[in-house]
Amino acid sequence: MQPDHTSVAIVGGGPAGLLLARLLHRAGVDAVVLESRDRAYVECRQRAGILEQATVDALREAGAGARMDREGITHDGIELRFDRRAHRVDFPSLTGGRRVMVYAQTEVVKDLVALQLADGGPLLFEAEVRAVTGADTERPVVHYRHEGRDHTLSCDYVVGCDGFHGVVKRAVPEAVRSTYERVYPYSWLGVLAEAPPVYDELIYAHSERGFALASMRSPSVSRLYLQVPNGTDPGEWPDARIWDELDARLAVDAEPGWKLERGPITAKSVLPMRSHVTEPMRYGRVLLAGDAAHIVPPTGAKGLNLAAADVVVVARALTARYRDGSTALLDSYSDTCLRRVWRAEHFSYFMTTTLHADPEQSPFDTRLQLSQLEQVSNSRHAAAELAENYTGLPIPD
């Protein structure tokens, strides 16, 4: 059945929208989730895989932590490689015990979809939202197409979790919207490989050949990245070339025989790098969350985690609104989230510009990068700042 009214319309059935739906469901607030893609696409969409402690806690609060706790891989640090040397940043000793968890976005989404379909509110796949009207009224309306027919859904609030190119953001008039953006002069070539990682934690490598990252999705699947020029065609990179380049960029003098475990590469894609923030994150009865409001380069592992923090704040605000009529948290939503967003933007910018080789940078710029990496290696304060940001700043209460 097609619902015609709900308290909260959530546009976007990715991890942010689904997590918000679960948090609202457990708080007794009814919501409808509208997702433009089909279920198979949503559950297979490859994105992030590093969860901050606050994101892990939010998934547990939503009832979606059981499989994550069984299968997720806890990491206590990362390794920085530069100047053919390696330095490990130990998170717990620098942050008072905080860690991160490797658990792929695909698995987060599968867990949340299963829960929502089992006992949550309506979750409509292949529901293409065309427009949101009445954002500045007490009864906004979502216009969408589902199963070949046009429908409307009136609601008290609309939350846009529909990504950078989503429709909900257009409900915020351009006259009140400010945009801040930086586009980087390089991209990532990301690959999935059926090869067990030969490293215990993520490796971030700065080299004269460009940046490289060795990550993982499971004990048998590696997730690997190479810095490439913008506009790169993945077809120009056969498997052997990818493995050879990864080995070269990750090499350190202390381990002359160190190489990645090779296996079939099952997916290749090129990811452009950009930083983007839209302000404010609320207009009338419309709230933006996740990529609909902000984009970060993936170097700092902040994208999914920022989205999760946004919807935790949204859920608390809407729960207060329906529990006791208070709109104080809703009124402060944008400012509350943006303070955390801009810190994450800065950290992601720092990690990106410190580790990547800009095509036009001078030898002086390279020496500055190496000096910064040396500082992280030799200063506990510098290492602690990196560790605190990587493991995630607290979500405002």
Side-chain angles (χ1 to χ4, degrees), residues 31 44 66-67 76 95 144 150 166 209 222 249 268 297 320 322 334 340:
C44 293
R67 189 163 72 95
D76 286 346
T95 63
Y144 69 99
D150 292 331
R209 305 174 69 97
S222 294
R249 296 188 191 187
K268 301 177 188 177
Y322 287 102
S334 183
R340 196 175 189 276

Side-chain angles (χ1 to χ4, degrees), residues 34-336:
L34 304 173
E35 166 55 45
S36 63
R37 301 282 193 162
D38 62 31
R39 180 178 179 179
Y41 178 90
V42 171
E43 293 185 341
C44 293
R45 184 165 42 194
Q46 292 289 341
R47 291 290 188 274
I50 305 297
L51 307 182
E52 298 173 358
Q53 185 62 58
T55 304
V56 170
D57 294 341
L59 289 167
R60 289 172 179 156
E61 181 185 348
R67 189 163 72 95
M68 173 187 68
D69 287 332
R70 289 196 309 271
E71 300 178 12
I73 306 170
T74 300
H75 279 193
D76 286 346
I78 58 173
E79 185 172 283
L80 299 174
R81 294 192 174 190
F82 61 96
D83 201 23
R84 298 186 66 85
R85 291 176 288 140
H87 173 77
R88 181 174 181 272
V89 179
D90 184 83
F91 293 156
S93 67
L94 294 165
T95 63
R98 296 210 303 270
R99 297 168 168 83
V100 296
M101 180 179 289
V102 176
Y103 191 63
Q105 174 176 314
T106 52
E107 307 314 299
V108 171
V109 169
K110 289 173 186 174
D111 295 342
L112 291 169
V113 166
L115 287 168
Q116 188 70 10
L117 293 177
D119 68 357
L123 166 55
L124 304 183
F125 291 104
E126 299 180 87
E128 181 187 359
V129 173
R130 303 289 182 84
V132 174
T133 58
D136 56 350
T137 71
E138 293 185 358
R139 189 60 63 89
V141 177
V142 179
H143 304 260
Y144 69 99
R145 188 168 183 81
H146 184 240
E147 296 181 341
R149 297 180 60 187
D150 292 331
H151 303 273
T152 59
L153 176 65
S154 66
C155 54
D156 300 331
Y157 296 93
V158 180
V159 183
C161 300
D162 52 343
F164 180 73
H165 298 290
V167 173
V168 177
K169 184 161 54 178
R170 301 175 202 164
V172 181
E174 291 188 6
V176 303
R177 202 193 321 156
S178 298
T179 298
Y180 306 90
E181 185 171 62
R182 179 188 182 94
V183 178
Y184 296 86
Y186 34 72
S187 300
W188 276 10
L189 171 63
V191 303
L192 274 177
E194 293 180 357
V198 295
Y199 36 91
D200 295 329
E201 296 168 338
L202 273 65
I203 302 173
Y204 287 78
H206 172 286
S207 85
E208 61 184 14
R209 305 174 69 97
F211 170 77
L213 170 60
S215 181
M216 63 195 70
R217 283 293 178 264
S218 73
S220 61
V221 176
S222 294
R223 182 69 162 152
L224 305 151
Y225 300 93
L226 286 168
Q227 176 187 340
V228 294
N230 286 339
T232 292
D233 178 359
E236 298 172 355
W237 284 80
D239 292 7
R241 181 186 179 191
I242 291 172
W243 289 117
D244 289 345
E245 191 64 24
L246 284 164
D247 284 340
R249 296 188 191 187
L250 293 165
V252 290
D253 289 338
E255 302 178 71
W258 188 93
K259 289 187 181 297
L260 294 166
E261 183 77 26
R262 299 194 177 194
I265 291 178
T266 57
K268 301 177 188 177
S269 61
V270 171
L271 176 67
M273 309 280 282
R274 66 158 24 116
S275 300
H276 179 101
V277 179
T278 294
E279 297 184 2
M281 291 173 59
R282 180 194 174 189
Y283 173 75
R285 295 294 185 100
V286 169
L287 300 95
L288 305 178
D291 287 0
H294 41 74
I295 297 286
V296 290
T299 327
K302 291 286 159 257
L304 171 58
N305 293 295
L306 272 183
D310 289 348
V311 299
V312 167
V313 177
V314 172
R316 291 172 180 168
L318 289 170
T319 299
R321 158 70 175 80
Y322 287 102
R323 182 187 59 217
D324 55 27
S326 172
T327 62
L329 294 180
L330 281 169
D331 294 340
S332 63
Y333 166 71
S334 183
D335 289 342
T336 298

